[in-house]
Amino acid sequence: MSGTDDKSDVGADGTRASDTGADTNTNAGPGTGAGSTPGAGGNGTNAPPALTTPRGRRPVVAALMLGMALAAIDGTIVSTAVPQIVRDLGGFTVFSWLFSGYLLAVTVTLPLYGKLSDTFGRKPVLIAGIILFLIGSVLCAAAWNMAALIAFRIVQGLGGGALQGTVQTIAADLYPLKERPRIQAKLSTVWATSAVAGPVVGGLLAGYADWRWIFLINLPVGAVALWLVVRHLHEPSRPRPATRPRVDWAGALAVFATGALLLTALVQGGVAWPWLSTPSLGLFGASAVLAALTVVIERRAAEPIIPGWVWRRRTIASVNLALGALGLLMVAPTVFLPTYAQSVLGLGPIAAGFVLSVMTLSWPVTAALSDRVYNRIGFRLTAIIGIGAALLILLAFPLLPYPGEPWHPALLMLLLGAALGLFQLPLIVGVQSTVGWAERGTTTASVLFCRQVGQSIGAALFGAVANGVLAARLLDAPVTGLPDDLDAVARALEDPGALSAAATDYLRRAVDSAVDHVYIGAAGAAALALLALITLAPRRFPVITETTAPRVTGAADRQDASS
């Protein structure tokens, strides 16, 4: 695929692009054309028509939503239970790896699971991911010290990587282009709600039961999801390939090692050691060497984990870069807005969470309605409008009055959610629609991988920005002995009797300035996403028409067929 504008006027749903404005239909390259058998490498053999009635889809969609909830909530549910966990297990100096280890395992395994799902099918990968996640949950609940808990969280993350990528891929397989916004909006709602509800659920379980229940509650949810997948998800039968499928294990190991070193450097830099210290420089240098080695291995591999076409095709490359920037900018509201709400506005944890959670109200709404926009003007222009609006909203945050009212940032977050819903979903739906079944898993995984890496880079970059601004402001503080980093300042402001009124006000203004700079940085990330879409993305995404999809059967389908 060259990535140039296509001249065909037939859309993926059979309508004419000249009438609807939808992105056009074209051949996306070898192995992805219409009528190619899933997993067969695009040999042109047609599989049986998919039986995907609404009633038949329901249990599968329920399984996907439960799987998405498991992956999303476990990224944040531990946060409010850390005091109880540290009290029982110790290990305060390394507890941050409860989050970093999980994130690292999810991120570095996404490309591997994407390739495996394209090679062996979605169902076995999803089943393996759920089982591995549940095993990790049981082990976490039985952990006897902090080192064991961190190791078992990594096991959870290995399963979580399969859940994230495969759920999104199956959702695209189940629905034709015209119907994908609905399922993607549902998954976005589940993800956003779970991510926000995670700390609340974790705090309740740790406070009124035992922190081990944080992991045990995954078992019934995961068991139901597993049963639904086994019982109701049936993919089309695929012809036996002429040669035995080969898995690029050397490439998988190289990708895993490179990602692990890079994310460790980003997560621990400026926290466990200074940025310019020997550990940081050593990790960044080693990750650069491994990255070069990974490129060499992947170029020689017959079936690479990260194929070169992921970056050679302009559509996929531009979406990868744009959603990587999305991961970067999302750090501002999700990480720093709660601190702003509590330290500057003086809100409690629940009220601060509400200021953030309003973003989850508008995001799914605009995502669900985005098809009405991109069917008229195309995926690219819809996403440009969304990220352009997000850029203006992020730039408006530093203009809020000090100290201001809680509804001020809440209104901006409501608008930001609406803008990002119009930005993210058209890109995901659009890029999934430019490839066939045999490449969709890899494509989806590459998009999610870039978003996760962007999130890790954003946490490190904006953390350094916030602490740098705060340190500069504290040099001119009217009193001495004040804390010198953002976390310590936030803790000091929670105790109103610890500081004088003048010192408290000075610290609040310092936090306000630090978060303002973070939002300016987030606006810069939005500008990068906008630039990637304007300069790299084709004017119209080269959407292809497929004749096959996973076959969804079950009791409802059989009843429909018999009647």
Side-chain angles (χ1 to χ4, degrees), residues 13 17 40 47 68 102 130 148 150 153 169 197 223 225 238 242 254 279 295 332 339 348 355 386 413 462 475 554 561:
D13 59 354
M68 182 64 75
Y102 180 85
I130 294 175
I150 291 172
R153 281 282 285 173
T169 305
R238 295 179 291 137
V295 172
T339 298
V355 172
M413 292 306 99
F462 293 148
L475 286 176

Side-chain angles (χ1 to χ4, degrees), residues 38 47-61 170 173-176 179 231-237 547-563:
L51 178 60
T52 54
T53 66
R55 293 183 65 191
R57 288 174 182 160
R58 288 171 190 163
V60 180
V61 171
I170 293 175
D173 289 340
L174 285 176
Y175 289 84
E179 299 180 38
R231 178 70 178 82
H232 294 279
L233 177 61
H234 299 283
E235 297 176 289
S237 59
T547 60
T548 62
R551 183 177 182 180
V552 182
T553 63
D557 279 324
R558 288 196 295 271
Q559 182 179 352
D560 290 342
S562 64
S563 60

Side-chain angles (χ1 to χ4, degrees), residues 159-178:
L163 288 173
Q164 281 198 34
T166 313
V167 164
Q168 293 275 13
T169 305
I170 293 175
D173 289 340
L174 285 176
Y175 289 84
L177 173 59
K178 192 164 65 173

Side-chain angles (χ1 to χ4, degrees), residues 72-400:
I73 200 169
D74 258 71
T76 58
I77 194 171
V78 179
S79 59
T80 49
V82 166
Q84 290 78 11
I85 296 174
V86 170
R87 183 186 61 205
D88 287 354
L89 302 181
F92 178 78
T93 57
V94 294
F95 81 86
S96 64
W97 275 99
L98 292 177
F99 316 99
S100 303
Y102 180 85
L103 176 65
L104 185 151
V106 168
T107 304
V108 299
T109 55
L110 277 168
L112 173 61
Y113 288 128
K115 185 62 179 179
L116 290 177
S117 73
D118 283 343
T119 304
F120 300 105
R122 326 295 193 211
K123 185 174 180 177
V125 174
L126 182 57
I127 290 174
I130 294 175
I131 292 174
L132 189 57
F133 187 89
L134 296 181
I135 291 174
S137 298
V138 172
L139 293 174
C140 286
W144 54 90
N145 58 34
M146 185 62 76
L149 182 57
I150 291 172
F152 298 148
R153 281 282 285 173
I154 293 175
V155 174
Q156 259 193 322
L158 296 177
L163 288 173
Q164 281 198 34
T166 313
V167 164
Q168 293 275 13
T169 305
I170 293 175
D173 289 340
L174 285 176
Y175 289 84
L177 173 59
K178 192 164 65 173
E179 299 180 38
R180 282 178 193 160
R182 284 185 288 177
I183 181 60
Q184 291 290 354
K186 290 179 181 178
L187 294 178
S188 296
T189 301
V190 171
W191 181 271
T193 303
S194 299
V196 173
V200 178
V201 175
L204 291 174
L205 290 174
Y208 295 98
D210 187 275
W211 62 265
R212 298 180 190 272
W213 281 101
I214 288 173
F215 306 105
L216 292 176
I217 62 171
N218 291 332
L219 301 183
V221 178
V224 172
L226 184 61
W227 181 83
L228 290 172
V229 170
V230 172
R231 178 70 178 82
H232 294 279
L233 177 61
H234 299 283
E235 297 176 289
S237 59
R238 295 179 291 137
R240 186 181 298 275
T243 59
R244 184 179 179 181
R246 288 183 291 178
V247 179
D248 178 24
W249 294 114
L253 181 61
V255 170
F256 189 93
T258 303
L261 289 181
L262 177 60
L263 292 178
T264 300
L266 292 172
V267 169
Q268 296 297 101
V271 179
W273 48 69
W275 283 109
L276 297 180
S277 65
T278 300
S280 276
L281 296 178
L283 285 171
F284 280 119
S287 62
V289 172
L290 281 176
L293 179 61
T294 301
V295 172
V296 173
I297 293 173
E298 293 296 85
R299 282 183 173 178
R300 295 180 177 180
E303 295 290 338
I305 295 296
I306 304 180
W309 54 260
V310 168
W311 293 104
R312 286 195 297 269
R313 298 180 189 175
R314 285 176 54 195
T315 305
I316 302 175
S318 62
V319 172
N320 282 344
L321 293 174
L323 290 186
L326 173 65
L328 190 70
L329 73 86
M330 281 301 295
V331 171
T334 57
V335 176
F336 291 93
L337 184 63
T339 298
Y340 171 87
Q342 294 182 70
S343 299
V344 178
L345 302 181
L347 302 179
I350 296 178
F354 175 77
V355 172
L356 172 61
S357 65
V358 294
M359 185 169 64
T360 67
L361 302 177
S362 55
W363 190 316
V365 173
T366 55
L369 298 176
S370 64
D371 62 318
R372 302 185 182 183
V373 182
Y374 67 64
N375 279 332
R376 291 181 176 273
I377 64 176
F379 295 115
R380 173 178 174 268
L381 187 53
T382 302
I384 286 175
I385 292 172
I387 197 62
L391 171 60
L392 296 178
I393 294 165
L394 291 167
L395 287 175
F397 188 91
L399 303 179
L400 293 178

